[in-house]
Amino acid sequence: GDSADELKKASPEAWFDLISTKMDMLQQVVLYFADNLAVAADGPNCRVVPRLPAEIQARLGVICDSPLFAGLSEQALGEILSQGRIVSHPRGAVIFLHGEPVERFYLVLQGWVKLLKGNAEGEESVFEVLTTGDGFPDTVIFKDAIYPVTAQAVEAVELLSLPASVVRERVKND
């Protein structure tokens, strides 16, 4: 109808404004859920989780502060993290490409990552910049999803990398 015709006539600036507004709204939803899923002060201390590799154990402070892991028992956290690994990427490294199947979920432990899309002319649009404690991509919860953007290290980064199936299963069960 009329809405479809209006969208077809929209300028690139109008499209950018529309997408920016939608992304801002999604960010507000994420922040709302993060605030409302916070662990109570007297909740379980996940700073020590038995049987984890030392490299993951050493980074539990950042991991436990992530909303994704808030409120999990030490047992559940241990089950998830036992399948994770710490990966490092130098500045400029591509972590994954737009259109690839979602196989891993990442949590930034240190550094900065940008999420971007390129166009046919080789220009890139940065959708989001992530830092310590931020997880990506959100599409990991969908089976057979593809990465909707490319992820690239802005500077040297250290990431917790988890199999998408593990995160998907935990979201489904909890």
Side-chain angles (χ1 to χ4, degrees):
D2 292 334
S3 296
D5 291 336
E6 288 178 32
L7 288 175
K8 288 178 186 175
K9 296 176 187 174
S11 69
E13 292 83 12
W15 276 104
F16 181 79
D17 290 343
L18 176 66
I19 291 170
S20 295
T21 301
K22 296 293 183 189
M23 289 182 67
D24 289 344
M25 288 171 43
L26 286 173
Q27 181 67 22
Q28 292 302 314
V29 169
V30 168
L31 292 174
Y32 170 82
F33 281 114
D35 289 344
N36 288 292
L37 292 175
V39 178
D42 60 349
N45 179 358
C46 67
R47 301 282 183 223
V48 177
V49 179
R51 297 175 304 281
L52 285 180
E55 65 177 1
I56 292 178
Q57 188 74 40
R59 292 158 180 91
L60 277 179
V62 173
I63 294 168
C64 291
D65 287 341
S66 170
L68 179 68
F69 302 111
L72 290 179
S73 68
E74 287 182 14
Q75 178 181 348
L77 185 64
E79 288 171 8
I80 293 169
L81 296 180
S82 68
Q83 299 190 44
R85 65 180 190 246
I86 305 297
V87 294
S88 298
H89 295 281
R91 179 179 190 254
V94 173
I95 299 161
F96 56 76
L97 291 170
H98 168 256
E100 292 180 339
V102 173
E103 296 178 354
R104 312 283 308 169
F105 176 83
Y106 299 94
L107 178 72
V108 180
L109 299 174
Q110 183 177 359
W112 295 84
V113 172
K114 64 181 175 181
L115 303 180
L116 57 102
K117 263 193 178 176
N119 63 20
E121 291 78 38
E123 299 170 343
E124 66 181 41
S125 297
V126 176
F127 284 97
E128 190 172 4
V129 178
L130 307 170
T131 190
T132 304
D134 291 333
F136 64 101
D138 297 337
T139 57
V140 74
I141 62 171
F142 301 112
K143 187 175 169 112
D144 300 324
I146 61 168
Y147 291 116
V149 293
T150 294
Q152 184 177 28
V154 175
E155 61 184 22
V157 295
E158 188 173 84
L159 307 169
L160 170 65
S161 174
L162 296 166
S165 59
V166 170
V167 175
R168 191 177 306 117
E169 187 66 23
R170 180 51 59 185
V171 168
K172 181 176 140 187
N173 290 334
D174 287 343

